[in-house]
Amino acid sequence: MPIVEPNLDEAILEAVERGLLTATTEMPHASVYLIAVPTPFRGDHEPDLRHVRAATEAIAPQLRGGEVVILESTSPPGTTERISEWISDLRPDLKLPHMGGIPDVHLAHCPERVLPGRIMVEIFTNDRVVGGLTPECAERAAELYRTFVAGEIVLTDATSAEMAKLTENAFRDVNIAFANELAEICDHLEVDVWEVISMANHHPRVNILQPGPGVGGHCIAVDPWFIVSAAPEQARLIRAARETNDARPRTVLTKVAEAVAASGHSGGFGDSFSDSGGDSDSAGAGDSDGVGVTIACLGLAFKADIDDLRESPALAITETLAAEHPDARILAVEPHVSRLPATLAALPNVELVSTQEALREAQVVVLLVDHAAFRAISLGELRGRQLVDTRGIWRREAVA
Ligand SMILES: NC(=O)c1ccc[n+]([C@@H]2O[C@H](COP(=O)([O-])OP(=O)(O)OC[C@H]3O[C@@H](n4cnc5c(N)ncnc54)[C@H](O)[C@@H]3O)[C@@H](O)[C@H]2O)c1
């Protein structure tokens, strides 16, 4: 099992042992097909449907009539209908749902909402949206989900189902962007964003999220672009949220520059990094100006307490820091991985070290992910270091 997911290993093993699950690289005939292939974007954030198309083209020759094809991949509006058209191009002998009338093959979209780490619970308990190209398509697909889903099954049309899933992730992205924009505003006004949000959240109908170094993962940072691409004139707020969140890593890099300058170790950075002046009184370990600075980057994952580095802003920040400043020594700390990802391993000035070693060696400590292991660090261990805390965890400790 290549995927780290509680209880999945046992479930797969049992299904294989009972003869209920086999794997093949040849497309078999089946009464129900689930398409759950990647849906990335390319170029200027245009959806890349080539995997969905390849899967569809593999399924098409197998169809005999009576099958249900369900798209589970998070997809741009209209993708389920395009699958219907693609099949129709390859199989003019079949009547597909987009053609009207009673189809030979039923097509529906049922977006997946499971949270990695809780998949084997949520796959049963979550509510499901099932959108058919026709009401009969939705009903036929829902029959499958009723066999194992304990949550509610909500029937709709395919495009509404596609939009519902994208809306869930865009909602999250816009709310995170709001918190990130507040961070920029509060920095400008020299007030503490964490305190401002905490006070605002005392209002009974306000629940602002926490700012951070950007948005990662292969869902929230990707899916809103599918809405922007489908309705560029209308999706102004959703686009602005994406741009706000994508700009956060650069803001963090500027803060690191200021911290390096304040540490008195700016020499290793050269002139390009910062000209904001230094205060060698506040320097931590090591002490002479002109010596390459050592920076600890705490966390590489895209969110707390997981090992997933996909689309991670923490990883991007660490890479940029190391690549743009080859004289700086970068100590990456990621308790959830045992070796550096290839992009960092290729850089000669980056090492993967323990939290203790990083705190001992670094003059500048950059907190990028609020892993539990980092929340356990006491302020005493950070004394004398320049801190860039993108998650506000040490600030909260200082206040508590
Ligand atoms: N992982 C999640 O938690 C999650 C949650 C909700 C939605 N989704 C959505 O589900 C989709 C898949 O995500 P994932 O994380 O499982 O991706 P993944 O890259 O981990 O897995 C996709 C699988 O599809 C296979 N594949 C690619 N092309 C194929 C083809 N033509 N025929 C057959 N198989 C093919 C790949 O070999 C791979 O095993 C995406 O649209 C994603 O946005 C994922």
Side-chain angles (χ1 to χ4, degrees), residues 57-398:
E57 289 176 352
I59 292 168
Q62 301 300 329
L63 299 171
R64 299 170 191 164
E67 295 87 352
V68 183
V69 179
I70 303 171
L71 175 66
E72 286 204 352
S73 299
T74 307
S75 298
T79 306
T80 312
E81 181 143 356
R82 291 188 72 187
I83 291 177
S84 188
E85 291 161 3
W86 289 331
I87 295 176
S88 159
D89 289 346
L90 293 167
R91 294 293 304 271
D93 54 313
L94 293 175
K95 194 157 178 214
L96 274 300
H98 72 280
M99 300 157 96
I102 299 169
D104 294 321
V105 178
H106 291 89
L107 272 162
H109 177 54
C110 181
E112 186 53 78
R113 293 157 150 172
V114 285
L115 179 73
R118 280 181 48 82
I119 289 177
M120 294 306 285
V121 176
E122 293 197 354
I123 202 153
F124 303 110
T125 58
N126 283 358
D127 295 345
R128 298 296 294 242
V129 172
V130 180
L133 282 186
T134 67
E136 171 71 9
C137 290
E139 186 49 46
R140 288 289 306 277
E143 280 171 18
L144 172 79
Y145 292 99
R146 287 197 193 105
T147 63
F148 66 95
V149 171
E152 189 182 342
I153 293 176
V154 182
L155 300 189
T156 184
D157 64 275
T159 309
S160 299
E162 288 157 350
M163 263 310 284
K165 169 70 191 185
L166 299 176
T167 300
E168 292 160 19
N169 284 346
F171 174 82
R172 202 79 192 142
D173 199 45
V174 168
N175 279 277
I176 296 168
F178 182 73
N180 282 337
E181 185 166 295
L182 282 179
E184 308 267 339
I185 293 166
C186 289
D187 271 359
H188 178 67
L189 299 176
E190 297 185 355
V191 293
D192 183 336
V193 66
W194 311 99
E195 190 182 356
V196 168
I197 290 175
S198 159
M199 290 186 296
N201 282 347
H202 278 279
H203 187 289
R205 284 168 296 283
V206 173
N207 186 14
I208 304 167
L209 302 181
Q210 302 297 309
V215 171
H218 64 309
C219 291
I220 297 179
V222 174
D223 301 343
W225 287 118
F226 295 166
I227 299 180
V228 174
S229 174
E233 296 295 318
Q234 292 78 14
R236 288 172 297 176
L237 179 63
I238 292 171
R239 175 196 287 275
R242 272 288 65 245
E243 287 168 352
T244 298
N245 289 333
D246 276 353
R248 283 297 285 172
R250 197 31 81 180
T251 306
V252 174
L253 288 164
T254 304
K255 281 177 178 286
V256 177
E258 289 164 4
V260 169
S263 77
H265 285 257
S266 51
F269 270 76
D271 295 334
S272 66
F273 200 83
S274 172
D275 58 4
S276 57
D279 171 7
S280 55
D281 288 349
S282 59
D287 54 11
S288 61
D289 194 12
V291 173
V293 68
T294 300
I295 304 174
C297 291
L298 304 193
L300 297 174
F302 82 77
K303 64 176 182 178
D305 302 327
I306 59 164
D307 64 349
D308 195 338
L309 309 187
R310 287 184 288 182
E311 313 288 334
S312 168
L315 178 59
I317 288 166
T318 308
E319 282 167 6
T320 309
L321 206 52
E324 289 184 357
H325 305 287
D327 293 335
R329 185 175 170 225
I330 308 294
L331 303 179
V333 184
E334 180 43 77
H336 300 277
V337 303
S338 53
R339 60 189 162 159
L340 284 175
T343 48
L344 281 184
L347 296 166
N349 55 337
V350 185
E351 298 157 58
L352 183 68
V353 303
S354 68
T355 310
Q356 283 65 36
E357 185 178 346
L359 296 184
R360 202 169 49 238
E361 306 269 321
Q363 295 96 39
V364 175
V365 179
V366 187
L367 187 281
L368 294 169
V369 186
D370 48 342
H371 287 320
F374 302 148
R375 270 185 249 122
I377 296 170
S378 70
L379 285 182
E381 293 174 85
L382 300 168
R383 193 163 295 126
R385 273 67 183 168
Q386 290 294 324
L387 305 182
V388 178
D389 177 1
T390 70
R391 297 285 180 176
I393 63 174
W394 295 324
R395 188 250 158 227
R396 286 197 282 262
E397 188 185 332

